[in-house]
Amino acid sequence: KNEVEQSPQNLTAQEGEFITINCSYSVGISALHWLQQHPGGGIVSLFMLSSGKKKHGRLIATINIQEKHSSLHITASHPRDSAVYICASGNFGNEKLTFGTGTRLTIIP
Amino acid sequence: DAGVIQSPRHEVTEMGQEVTLRCKPISGHDYLFWYRQTMMRGLELLIYFNNNVPIDDSGMPEDRFSAKMPNASFSTLKIQPSEPRDSAVYFCASSVYRGYEQFFGPGTRLTVL
């Protein structure tokens, strides 16, 4: 059974700081998803990656398949980045996602 | 496209009542997922469909829960009878292809008194 762990659980930083959120999983996966959930509840898919690195604006996601580890980076963080970030692994052979427990990020102006 | 549409956005009901949650996936998406989110357990997959056919319902907590997808543009999740422990936010999501990015609806916040 695949287990997905995120760290840290909570992160508070000053505006402008570089942010890193980590995600580890226990078995081989088909893809790793990063999701963002703002206060108020809506969930948005940020990235889906199976190798290497992807970048979208100030957000960068990387994955190391050998180490079963992914990171989400935010450069020049802004208060509007405050949200819960959730990683989820997609498993070979089915479409089910296994979710981490989320990282609550708060950016202080 | 309007994205995934869910209704109602909020539902407050009393224990024992039947609750029906509705979802309209993005047109052309072959996969539809129902999730439940609680503070204690986070996001959990309840059931998913491929081309209107239920593929995996192992996450459905008990027989009080049922889901249908009568056509490609509509799905329901029904709880009968509802209990206070069913209080949660229920999300519907769809994706165009197997293992591809999922698009989430705004969720239905269910409160069972």
Side-chain angles (χ1 to χ4, degrees):
Chain A
K1 179 185 173 184
N2 192 20
E3 294 184 352
V4 178
E5 295 186 354
Q6 285 185 240
S7 63
Q9 286 191 320
N10 294 283
L11 178 58
T12 300
Q14 292 290 132
E15 182 175 356
E17 287 190 37
F18 181 81
I19 304 298
T20 296
I21 300 171
N22 297 299
C23 177
S24 297
Y25 51 92
S26 57
V27 303
I29 62 172
S30 57
L32 194 290
H33 300 248
W34 281 102
L35 310 172
Q36 180 192 56
Q37 186 171 26
H38 274 287
I43 298 175
V44 175
S45 177
L46 297 175
F47 296 103
M48 185 186 75
L49 66 165
S50 55
S51 64
K53 179 169 80 173
K54 287 190 175 181
K55 184 176 188 292
H56 180 69
R58 295 180 295 106
L59 274 59
I60 304 166
T62 64
I63 189 168
N64 184 316
I65 299 297
Q66 287 71 31
E67 295 185 2
K68 297 185 177 62
H69 180 268
S70 176
S71 293
L72 177 68
H73 304 286
I74 305 175
T75 62
S77 58
H78 189 276
R80 64 175 176 264
D81 298 325
S82 297
V84 175
Y85 292 85
I86 303 168
C87 71
S89 66
N91 305 302
F92 288 113
N94 64 64
E95 287 67 45
K96 296 168 71 168
L97 296 180
T98 302
F99 294 92
T101 52
T103 295
R104 184 175 299 276
L105 174 66
T106 303
I107 303 298
I108 299 171
Chain B
D1 200 316
V4 177
I5 299 171
Q6 290 187 247
S7 65
R9 294 292 306 275
H10 302 273
E11 176 82 30
V12 180
T13 190
E14 293 188 345
M15 182 174 65
Q17 297 298 306
E18 178 180 293
V19 175
T20 299
L21 310 182
R22 297 173 176 82
C23 175
K24 176 178 167 54
I26 293 173
S27 177
H29 283 196
D30 289 342
Y31 289 86
L32 183 139
F33 305 81
W34 281 102
Y35 294 99
R36 179 172 68 176
Q37 186 179 41
T38 61
M39 289 291 291
M40 291 294 293
R41 300 173 67 93
L43 270 167
E44 302 175 282
L45 176 68
L46 299 177
I47 185 172
Y48 77 91
F49 296 82
N50 176 213
N51 290 323
N52 314 337
V53 176
I55 303 300
D56 189 330
D57 65 354
S58 59
M60 297 285 262
E62 45 196 278
D63 291 345
R64 298 184 296 105
F65 285 69
S66 63
K68 294 182 179 180
M69 192 165 186
N71 58 62
S73 59
F74 184 66
S75 177
T76 59
L77 178 67
K78 186 174 293 187
I79 308 172
Q80 165 65 15
S82 57
E83 297 182 2
R85 61 192 167 123
D86 302 330
S87 297
V89 181
Y90 291 81
F91 289 98
C92 174
S94 69
S95 68
V96 65
Y97 191 68
R98 178 177 183 157
Y100 208 67
E101 178 183 12
Q102 295 185 20
F103 292 83
F104 286 76
T108 295
R109 183 174 298 275
L110 173 65
T111 302
V112 183
L113 303 174

